[in-house]
Amino acid sequence: MRRKAIRKLKNSSRRLKTRNKSFRKTITKGKDSAWNNSMSLRENFENNLLVQDADAFMKKILKAPEKPKQIEVEEEIDLEQLAILREEVPPPLLEIPKVETVKKPSKLTSDEAGVAKRLMLKYGEDYEKMQRDIKTNMFQWNANQCRRKCEAYIEIHGNP
């Protein structure tokens, strides 16, 4: 009795329950044609638009540019005429135009602002001493961090 229930369950999961017979046929055709065991691996990959070797596929798609072919000229050109021709052709742009970067506004929390203010009042611009003072510099910033935080404080609040 138990085996029959398992068989029914297995068989029912394989079937497609659709009322439209033409739709059912297209689904079964697609399912069978997706992978054909009688065909070779390469043929199955080609039919299903798969690639065995991605590197070889990319090389086919992205072919290296061909070398320019040499043109045979019937007339000979003197060096003077060549120099004149070169002067007429404008030189390519070698310089990339510089884009001005916008400086992001400095961010400083209220706690950091208080610590930066106390450090600047105590030590001025001596960032090495600020780094060594572990009582006032409770975030234990290094000298560069102290400098940046002090500059941000001055930028936002002005001199203390």
Side-chain angles (χ1 to χ4, degrees), residues 28-153:
T28 55
K29 283 182 185 176
K31 189 176 181 183
D32 292 340
S33 65
W35 192 267
N36 190 351
N37 290 332
S38 64
M39 296 169 61
S40 70
L41 181 69
R42 181 169 290 174
E43 290 171 346
N44 274 318
F45 270 46
E46 288 173 2
N47 288 342
N48 295 318
L49 303 175
L50 299 173
V51 180
Q52 280 182 320
D53 188 12
D55 292 332
F57 181 71
M58 291 307 293
K59 285 179 185 175
K60 287 180 184 176
I61 292 175
L62 305 172
K63 291 181 180 177
E66 297 178 7
K67 295 179 182 177
K69 297 178 181 177
Q70 293 183 354
I71 302 171
E72 294 181 15
V73 181
E74 295 177 5
E75 299 177 15
E76 291 186 18
I77 300 175
D78 294 336
L79 291 176
E80 295 171 358
Q81 293 175 346
L82 185 63
I84 293 169
L85 289 174
R86 284 188 180 168
E87 290 174 1
E88 291 176 0
V89 177
L93 293 175
L94 298 177
E95 296 181 16
I96 299 172
K98 293 183 180 179
V99 178
E100 294 182 17
T101 57
V102 178
K103 186 179 177 185
K104 293 181 181 178
S106 302
K107 295 180 182 177
L108 207 61
T109 64
S110 59
D111 294 336
E112 291 174 342
V115 172
K117 179 181 178 181
R118 279 183 256 133
L119 285 170
M120 287 193 306
L121 289 173
K122 193 169 183 181
Y123 298 109
E125 292 187 10
D126 193 358
Y127 303 114
E128 293 296 326
K129 286 185 180 177
M130 288 182 193
Q131 174 186 349
R132 284 185 245 131
D133 185 3
I134 59 171
K135 288 184 180 178
T136 312
N137 184 4
M138 63 175 150
F139 294 110
Q140 295 187 357
W141 294 325
N142 61 28
N144 266 339
Q145 288 172 324
C146 288
R147 180 185 52 78
R148 276 191 249 118
K149 299 292 182 181
C150 292
E151 288 172 357
Y153 181 83

